[in-house]
Amino acid sequence: MSDEFVIEARGLAKQYGPHVAVDGIDLQVRAGEVIGLLGPNGAGKTTTILMLLGLTEATRGSILILGKDPLRRPLEVKRDVGYLPDSVGFYETMTGRENLTYMARLAAIPRGVVGERINSVLASVHLLEVADRPVATYSRGMRQRLGIAELLMRQCRIAILDEPTSGLDPQSTQELLDLIQKLSRGGMTILLSSHMLDVVQTVCHRIALFNKGRIGFFGTIEELAAKIGGGTYVIDVEAEGIDLSALAATVDGVKNVMAVNGHWQCEAVRDVRPQLAQRIVAAGGALRNLDLRRARLDEAYGRYFREVHQ
Amino acid sequence: MMVREGSPFRGVGVIALKEAADHLTSARMHLIMGLVLLTAIGAVYGAIGRIKDTTAEDAYLFLKLFTVAREPLPSFAAFLGFLLPLVAIALGFDAINGEYNRRTMSRLLAQPIYRDAVLFGKFLGALLVIAIALLTLWLLMTGLGILFLGLPPTAADVVRSLAYLAATLACAGVWLALAIAFSAVIRSPATSALAALSVWLILTVFWGMIAPLLAGLIAPIDPLDPSTVLAQFEAQQSIARLSPQTLYAEITAILLDPAARSVGPLFMSQLQGSLYGAPLPTMESALIVWPQLSALVAAMILLFTVAYVAFQRQEVRA
């Protein structure tokens, strides 16, 4: 992951008559990041995606995708951005290969490399054997993988996936998540809009919580959990040869220390693992485990929206 | 001023060829073209029989293949005028809303092309298919004419019939643009097809009744003033010409009949010095129907513009 921002949206807003769909959001995404776009239906996720793609004009605000404005330089932006919509549609009577070939021609991929590239991406999404069957015979999971194959074929730098796992069986979901992680490892930046919180937790580095057209929270799941838990980070510590309750109290930021089931649990206002480790080792203790408890997104999400609605 | 990057026509060829291939292989197209082909062969066969029975010698025998009818079948030109709008509507009624219903629109527009390319590509693809069908029918007519009449068409016949073919394509373009406009405005393909067919029904079948009615209201006849009869006729003709079918019928009448001199009322003063029944040069005939041809092209452009504006302003969410 690099520090370069590949997506920068500032004060982005979209209004349909009197209805405000997106209300001045800021979004900055680094290259290689996987960002989860979360929120209830009608919160503004899809409208934001369409504005990022240049398919809908923003009422106000600015967007830069890889340093380019999608409205002024739409072709350049579209060349680098792939989009897999919710319930991706294909031309049913055409085969998987023909669908990809058609999109390759529209994307102006040189004819000389199209065939080879299509074979390669179809193999990577495990569709090579059924490539010459009409898409009408494909299952939903196969269609989603064909959509991913299109993003791979176009060698996009940014992929926007809208509900890619909805309606998929567990095995297909896992296959798709593996593919998304593979794309991310390959350096692709991914925006993933989903209601499936376990999916988001599995693959996303950061999340943006949309609510009533605004981004209420943008950060890691741990930061979200800390925010809604009154800024509390929970750290599990297993150490021998020291009294952690006394030791941890001297670490700046620690609020509380408890013994729980044979180990210690520290509550702190920030991630104090480095300071704790240093103190334990300096005091001659044997540090066995130091773990920032991974917040569960479904819990954090539920609490966040309960608090927002109160 | 914001200047668009790249050409709006990038991708037009790819989309047009894909659309043409889809149409040529679709069951819908096979059915309707089968119908057109059967009726065309029937009409030509009937015309050949009648020409053989009644015409001993005619300088424009080939052109008569298009216009001569034998009961109960109408002429080939009349058949084409009736069925061609149906072909055009069949090819265009789900051009835009079909992409939304298949959920392929957002993926299509996420490719590095402009919306312009989608609309132009779809229009040109369908028009290409109609042009291929018309050319095939024309070649079939020519072949049947040579086979059964034993006379090859003259150069003037070929030019006139090709001009007629171009006018037929322009007429089909009007109905195609109308169908595409409905497909851009109405989200349900069934409803857009019904809307286009309703317009076709009104302008083809009922317009002949509506035009005199409206003309009677606009320009009533004064029994004491004979010029009001002419005024009402002209008003009726103007109203009737709002229908592309009227324009097409006038073009057909002039182009396929070299002896025809006018599409409106013909006065004795206009015939002064002319030889009765003498044919007009092809260019003269073309000049007579030039306004009708221009009107068809203008209607096509106007309807295409409506489709273009509607499509450009649409929010794409599927």
Side-chain angles (χ1 to χ4, degrees), chain B residues 23-24 27-39 84 87 91 129-130 132-134 136-137:
Chain B
H23 291 316
L24 287 172
R28 183 199 306 173
M29 185 67 188
H30 290 166
L31 275 173
I32 201 152
M33 281 318 294
L35 184 70
V36 170
L37 200 66
L38 277 176
T39 50
L84 204 68
V87 177
L91 295 185
V129 171
I130 295 171
I132 292 170
L134 283 176
T136 311
L137 281 175

Side-chain angles (χ1 to χ4, degrees), chain B residues 286-304:
Chain B
L287 280 175
I288 291 172
V289 291
W290 194 250
Q292 281 81 351
L293 194 63
S294 305
L296 280 182
V297 174
M300 181 172 70
I301 293 170
L302 185 72
L303 287 166
F304 186 81

Side-chain angles (χ1 to χ4, degrees), chain B residues 14-239:
Chain B
V14 177
I15 294 173
L17 288 177
K18 185 250 175 200
E19 289 296 317
D22 280 357
H23 291 316
L24 287 172
T25 53
S26 72
R28 183 199 306 173
M29 185 67 188
H30 290 166
L31 275 173
I32 201 152
M33 281 318 294
L35 184 70
V36 170
L37 200 66
L38 277 176
T39 50
I41 290 172
V44 173
Y45 189 74
I48 287 168
R50 182 142 176 245
I51 290 167
K52 275 181 173 175
D53 291 346
T54 58
T55 316
E57 194 180 322
D58 195 306
Y60 301 99
L61 216 50
F62 175 74
L63 293 177
K64 287 218 177 319
L65 281 177
F66 293 89
T67 51
V68 169
R70 186 182 206 178
E71 293 294 333
L73 290 173
S75 69
F76 175 82
F79 252 133
L80 215 53
F82 189 77
L83 286 178
L84 204 68
L86 288 182
V87 177
I89 289 170
L91 295 185
F93 78 91
D94 65 345
I96 300 299
N97 51 24
E99 294 283 350
Y100 285 111
N101 288 328
R102 281 191 299 265
R103 305 188 69 84
T104 45
M105 185 59 93
S106 52
R107 252 183 73 245
L108 189 60
L109 293 180
Q111 304 303 322
I113 55 166
Y114 285 112
R115 288 188 192 200
D116 313 47
V118 176
L119 203 64
F120 276 113
K122 285 184 173 284
F123 183 77
L124 290 179
L127 206 61
L128 179 69
V129 171
I130 295 171
I132 292 170
L134 283 176
L135 196 65
T136 311
L137 281 175
W138 183 81
L139 289 171
L140 191 75
M141 296 274 304
T142 311
L144 286 175
I146 293 170
L147 197 68
F148 289 105
L149 295 176
L151 283 172
T154 63
D157 288 345
V158 171
V159 172
R160 275 181 181 274
S161 59
L162 283 178
Y164 162 71
L165 219 56
T168 308
L169 191 63
C171 182
V174 175
W175 292 105
L176 180 65
L178 178 83
I180 291 180
F182 275 125
S183 86
V185 174
I186 301 169
R187 204 43 80 89
S188 155
T191 312
S192 67
L194 203 62
L197 286 172
S198 304
V199 174
W200 169 75
L201 204 64
I202 290 167
L203 292 182
T204 304
V205 179
F206 298 119
W207 203 243
M209 292 178 253
I210 294 168
L213 200 71
L214 291 175
L217 292 173
I218 294 166
I221 292 173
D222 179 356
L224 302 174
D225 183 2
S227 69
T228 55
V229 176
L230 183 66
Q232 191 184 72
F233 180 77
E234 282 177 344
Q236 182 184 326
Q237 201 174 34
S238 301
I239 295 164

Side-chain angles (χ1 to χ4, degrees), chain A residues 14 16 46-47 50 53 55-56 71-76 78-79 81 83-94 99 102-103 105-108 150 154, chain B residues 1-8 10-12 14-16 18-19 22 99 102-115 122 314-318:
Chain A
K14 179 70 186 179
Y16 298 103
T46 303
T47 305
L50 296 176
L53 283 164
L55 293 180
T56 292
L71 282 177
R72 288 179 184 275
R73 311 202 68 79
L75 301 188
E76 282 181 31
K78 285 178 184 182
R79 222 166 273 141
V81 181
Y83 177 46
L84 186 66
D86 176 21
S87 301
V88 57
F90 290 96
Y91 299 102
E92 301 276 316
T93 54
M94 289 163 72
N99 267 281
Y102 179 47
M103 291 301 164
R105 285 190 184 146
L106 287 176
E150 186 191 314
R154 288 179 48 201
Chain B
M1 192 179 73
M2 202 166 93
V3 178
R4 284 204 300 192
E5 158 220 7
S7 165
R10 188 197 144 96
V12 169
V14 177
I15 294 173
K18 185 250 175 200
E19 289 296 317
D22 280 357
E99 294 283 350
R102 281 191 299 265
R103 305 188 69 84
T104 45
M105 185 59 93
S106 52
R107 252 183 73 245
L108 189 60
L109 293 180
Q111 304 303 322
I113 55 166
Y114 285 112
R115 288 188 192 200
K122 285 184 173 284
Q314 253 164 22
E315 287 289 331
V316 177
R317 294 189 82 90

Side-chain angles (χ1 to χ4, degrees), chain B residues 219-274:
Chain B
I221 292 173
D222 179 356
L224 302 174
D225 183 2
S227 69
T228 55
V229 176
L230 183 66
Q232 191 184 72
F233 180 77
E234 282 177 344
Q236 182 184 326
Q237 201 174 34
S238 301
I239 295 164
R241 282 176 180 160
L242 291 175
S243 162
Q245 293 311 100
T246 307
L247 298 173
Y248 178 67
E250 289 179 353
I251 293 170
T252 305
I254 295 291
L255 285 180
L256 296 182
D257 182 6
R261 288 168 179 273
S262 171
V263 288
L266 195 61
F267 298 102
M268 287 310 289
S269 57
Q270 289 173 283
L271 291 170
Q272 205 168 15
S274 68

